Amino acid sequence: MSATDSFTGWAATSTTAPLEQKELKLRAWDEDCIEMDITHCGICGSDEHTIKESWGPTMYPCVVGHEIVGKVTKVGKNVTHLKVGDLAGIGAQSGSCHECENCKQGIENLCTGHSTLTYNSKWANGDMAYGGYADKWRGDSRFAFKVPDNMPGEVAATFFCGGVTTYAPLKRANVNEKSVVGVMGIGGLGHYGILWAKAMGAKVVGMSHSDRKREVALELGCDEYLVTSDADQMAKYQRKFTHILCTGTSPDFQWATYLALIRPNGHFINVSAPDWDFPGMNAMTLIFNQVSIVGSLIGSPNEIRDMLEFADKHNVRPWIQKYPMKDVNKALEDFRAGKPRFRFVLEN
């Protein structure tokens, strides 16, 4: 294997084994590609689901990681928005068909043709797609984004999945200074939801099943905090929210309990992807609450660019903890133990 066409990555080889350092093949080069030396990669819950096969089969060996930042070292002839030396980022999607109706409308994240995920996926040419727990990345420049000049790589990394997953639906739902946003789940995604909603001017209420995260929710910027297991507190928030962003909940979730908190014509936005099914719903619950229930999948390239500009302008900064890339197995152990406050970032 040519050194110029290979990389070293930390690969999952089964659901239970520690990640192993392996030399693997980069995708074939074409003139739409860029190549980068990876400086940072965030750890995302999707990585763990893929390693453990809780969302479906994994093509081992699999190098996960889709919050990638690095220094561009090579650009194809068709690339105009990046140059060698730029700091660039890659998210959960690395390619699309560019031909289906969704792609033509600028919602490439919902491509109905050949969409390439950043890992556990294949490029249109049949090559394996590998993620950012590695030293190099090569792929489609149309899904690579210039990091703002004053944003360090470790700060930028987690925007590319956790950040856009929460930014895009809040922006689409027109969250603004008149909004009252409840954020369910004060974790990796939820902390981003709070940061975005506050930067958009909204009143923000942190929502969790116990009082344990009250202090940190207020420190993140929440105006109020709601313990969802407390019936008296829940009663006080009937019809108070214009939006609820669900980033996590438990299997005892019931639609009627939460839709009753939302004002007419409000929004329940779900970005949580648990490995259990949401419950069914009585039709009258939806009709009589007159709210919209929406899901959201990462974000389009245009939404990622918009997010980076917004974060730069409003100084939105995630809470991160760094680990050396070589300590990836320790980082994953701590991730599984629920220790992130609120995103882990691997650093080469």
Side-chain angles (χ1 to χ4, degrees):
M1 193 182 299
S2 166
T4 58
D5 288 317
S6 66
F7 73 99
T8 301
W10 289 89
T13 58
S14 75
T15 59
T16 56
L19 303 192
E20 299 177 21
Q21 202 167 26
K22 287 183 175 290
E23 184 179 5
L24 296 162
K25 187 179 179 182
L26 293 165
R27 62 151 287 171
W29 177 263
D30 67 37
E31 296 304 331
D32 289 315
C33 281
I34 67 158
E35 192 170 309
M36 63 164 62
D37 288 340
I38 295 170
T39 60
H40 298 89
C41 185
I43 293 180
C44 181
S46 305
D47 304 345
E48 176 70 358
H49 282 292
T50 301
I51 292 168
K52 299 297 186 186
E53 291 193 314
S54 58
W55 283 345
T58 295
M59 295 180 281
Y60 300 112
C62 180
V63 177
V64 298
H66 58 203
E67 296 181 332
I68 309 169
V69 168
K71 287 282 189 181
V72 177
T73 56
K74 184 180 179 181
V75 299
K77 293 177 182 177
N78 299 333
V79 180
T80 58
H81 67 293
L82 291 168
K83 64 182 185 301
V84 171
D86 281 346
L87 195 65
I90 317 296
Q93 183 184 21
S94 293
S96 74
C97 74
H98 306 289
E99 296 176 356
C100 71
E101 282 303 309
N102 286 350
C103 283
K104 289 176 181 178
Q105 292 176 21
I107 46 177
E108 296 94 332
N109 53 307
L110 299 178
C111 172
T112 58
H114 187 96
S115 179
T116 302
L117 301 180
T118 298
Y119 56 75
N120 198 36
S121 183
K122 289 191 176 184
W123 294 97
N125 66 5
D127 289 347
M128 281 298 303
Y130 295 111
Y133 292 13
D135 63 348
K136 294 179 186 177
W137 184 87
R138 179 192 286 174
D140 190 339
S141 65
R142 290 166 287 191
F143 288 84
F145 308 91
K146 188 177 186 303
V147 172
D149 290 338
N150 63 346
M151 188 180 289
E154 63 266 29
V155 171
T158 67
F159 281 118
F160 288 98
C161 182
V164 73
T165 293
T166 44
Y167 173 83
L170 293 174
K171 180 71 181 298
R172 286 187 223 121
N174 195 33
V175 170
N176 57 44
E177 64 279 356
K178 297 179 181 178
S179 303
V180 181
V181 179
V183 178
M184 293 172 59
I186 316 298
L189 290 177
H191 109 286
Y192 257 126
I194 293 165
L195 296 175
W196 293 129
K198 284 300 295 182
M200 292 172 182
K203 177 180 177 179
V204 182
V205 180
M207 303 171 67
S208 192
H209 67 283
S210 75
D211 209 44
R212 185 169 58 90
K213 293 187 177 180
R214 178 184 296 273
E215 186 175 335
V216 73
L218 297 175
E219 191 176 350
L220 282 164
C222 286
D223 299 283
E224 296 173 8
Y225 186 83
L226 170 58
V227 178
T228 57
S229 60
D230 186 318
D232 290 338
Q233 287 190 39
M234 290 288 277
K236 293 176 183 177
Y237 279 88
Q238 300 285 299
R239 303 288 182 266
K240 295 295 186 184
F241 296 113
T242 58
H243 305 74
I244 288 179
L245 177 69
C246 178
T247 70
T249 186
S250 55
D252 62 356
F253 172 87
Q254 293 295 319
W255 286 108
T257 303
Y258 289 89
L259 297 191
L261 305 178
I262 303 174
R263 296 175 189 173
N265 303 318
H267 302 265
F268 184 98
I269 302 166
N270 180 60
V271 296
S272 175
D275 51 13
W276 47 267
D277 291 337
F278 275 82
M281 183 194 307
N282 183 293
M284 293 301 181
T285 299
L286 186 59
I287 292 170
F288 278 90
N289 283 288
Q290 194 169 311
V291 300
S292 297
I293 299 172
V294 298
S296 184
L297 177 67
I298 51 174
S300 69
N302 281 335
E303 287 171 325
I304 293 173
R305 282 185 283 268
D306 187 63
M307 170 196 66
L308 291 171
E309 182 179 339
F310 183 92
D312 192 36
K313 178 179 179 180
H314 295 275
N315 197 36
V316 176
R317 295 294 184 265
W319 289 22
I320 63 169
Q321 296 158 266
K322 292 192 296 181
Y323 288 74
M325 185 71 74
K326 65 180 178 61
D327 293 339
V328 61
N329 284 307
K330 170 61 176 170
L332 286 172
E333 180 184 330
D334 289 350
F335 183 90
R336 291 162 185 153
K339 293 183 179 181
R341 290 294 180 271
F342 280 95
R343 306 292 292 194
F344 282 174
V345 177
L346 303 171
E347 183 175 59
N348 276 318

